[in-house]
């Protein structure tokens, strides 16, 4: 079945450092790919998405490119802030059946220190 | 637009009891999905409703059920609660067919004692 694998955390960075969180997927169809972020005590917020190969999703300085050849969707940010500290989830959905079922990775906790 | 709302935010129940959680989607969204989040299992899909019909279901026992009303509001019910049902239950709504993009509510934290 479809699955998502994320790099394990926690990832600890200093403010203004470069961030990469790796995400790879396994899917039989042509999934849409997402990054969600969860701040402490809150639900998930959609950070960015890409619906086909070579698409680049971007939002709030974060970006990720849908790489079909490597089945990857790595999240990057050039300069992190303390306020970026949260748990980040990579997810996929297979829209071919018209359904809205998200399959999530395990999540990667990011801690940014001043 | 108002976001997804869930009630109650926190709930404490005893083993063997049942519980009903409520979700109001973003206005205009017809798809509502439910997810369970636990430290051990992560985020797992429970079921999705679209236009009052369940059209996808995850791998959970029959104690977990749900429904959707004509105004797209949804409820989730868990009967005969077990300690392992303690979790954050998240509701998400989406615009419709096959886009996969979903917007989450703040969740209901259920504790079973």
């Amino acid at each position: 079945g479809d699955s998502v694998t994320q790099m394990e955390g926690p990832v600890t960075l200093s403010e203004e450092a470069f961030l990469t969180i790796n995400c790879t997927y396994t899917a039989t169809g042509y999934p849409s790919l997402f990054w969600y972020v969860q701040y402490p005590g809150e639900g998930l917020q959609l950070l960015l998405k890409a619906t086909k190969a070579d698409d680049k999703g971007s939002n709030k300085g974060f970006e990720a490119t849908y790489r079909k050849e490597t089945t990857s969707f790595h999240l990057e940010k050039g300069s992190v802030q303390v306020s970026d500290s949260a748990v980040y989830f990579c997810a996929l959905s297979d829209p071919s059946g018209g359904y809205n079922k998200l399959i999530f990775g395990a999540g990667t906790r990011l801690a940014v220190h001043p | 637009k108002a976001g997804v709302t869930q009630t109650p935010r926190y709930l404490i129940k005893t083993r063997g009891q049942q519980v009903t959680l409520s979700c109001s989607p973003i206005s205009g969204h017809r798809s509502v999905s439910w997810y369970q989040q636990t430290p051990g299992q992560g985020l797992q899909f429970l079921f999705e409703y679209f236009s009052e019909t369940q059209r996808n279901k995850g791998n959970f026992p029959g104690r977990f059920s749900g429904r959707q009303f004509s105004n797209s509001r949804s409820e989730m019910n868990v009967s005969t609660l077990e300690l392992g049902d303690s979790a954050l239950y998240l509701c998400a709504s989406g615009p419709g067919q096959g886009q996969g993009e979903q917007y989450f509510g703040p969740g209901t934290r259920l504790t079973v004692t």
Side-chain angles (χ1 to χ4, degrees):
Chain A
D2 295 352
S3 66
V4 175
T5 302
Q6 285 182 241
M7 63 186 287
E8 288 190 25
V11 174
T12 303
L13 295 173
S14 297
E15 207 164 24
E16 298 183 2
F18 184 85
L19 168 71
T20 300
I21 300 178
N22 291 338
C23 170
T24 57
Y25 68 90
T26 301
T28 52
Y30 299 92
S32 296
L33 301 174
F34 306 87
W35 277 101
Y36 282 85
V37 58
Q38 186 174 35
Y39 297 100
E42 298 184 12
L44 277 70
Q45 295 179 24
L46 177 62
L47 184 58
L48 53 83
K49 68 172 183 178
T51 57
K52 62 183 187 298
D54 299 325
D55 266 2
K56 177 184 281 190
S58 61
N59 186 25
K60 299 180 182 179
F62 292 90
E63 59 182 34
T65 301
Y66 190 139
R67 301 285 189 202
K68 189 170 182 295
E69 63 276 13
T70 55
T71 61
S72 65
F73 193 56
H74 305 320
L75 183 68
E76 297 182 335
K77 187 177 186 184
S79 177
V80 294
Q81 305 301 311
V82 172
S83 57
D84 293 327
S85 298
V87 181
Y88 292 81
F89 293 92
C90 184
L92 69 80
S93 76
D94 184 354
S96 61
Y99 303 141
N100 292 304
K101 172 185 174 180
L102 288 169
I103 295 171
F104 287 91
T108 302
R109 184 174 300 276
L110 170 66
V112 181
H113 298 288
Chain B
K1 264 187 183 177
V4 178
T5 58
Q6 292 186 246
T7 56
R9 291 293 310 277
Y10 302 91
L11 209 47
I12 299 175
K13 291 287 188 180
T14 304
R15 266 183 309 174
Q17 289 186 315
Q18 74 166 17
V19 67
T20 299
L21 312 182
S22 182
C23 171
S24 292
I26 291 171
S27 177
H29 285 184
R30 294 165 63 191
S31 168
V32 174
S33 300
W34 289 87
Y35 293 82
Q36 182 196 64
Q37 185 177 26
T38 60
Q41 299 299 316
L43 281 153
Q44 294 186 286
F45 173 80
L46 279 155
F47 30 65
E48 184 211 2
Y49 287 87
F50 184 85
S51 293
E52 301 179 64
T53 301
Q54 186 185 91
R55 62 178 187 180
N56 208 351
K57 191 176 190 305
N59 189 26
F60 279 83
R63 301 184 297 107
F64 291 81
S65 62
R67 59 178 175 168
Q68 186 180 34
F69 302 95
S70 58
N71 61 0
S72 293
R73 191 176 70 85
S74 178
E75 289 183 346
M76 190 192 95
N77 186 77
V78 187
S79 62
T80 319
L81 284 166
E82 301 177 359
L83 294 178
D85 296 334
S86 295
L88 181 67
Y89 289 89
L90 293 162
C91 169
S93 76
Q97 300 282 1
Q99 299 301 310
E101 183 172 325
Q102 296 183 54
Y103 299 88
F104 284 79
T108 294
R109 172 73 64 185
L110 172 64
T111 302
V112 182
T113 62

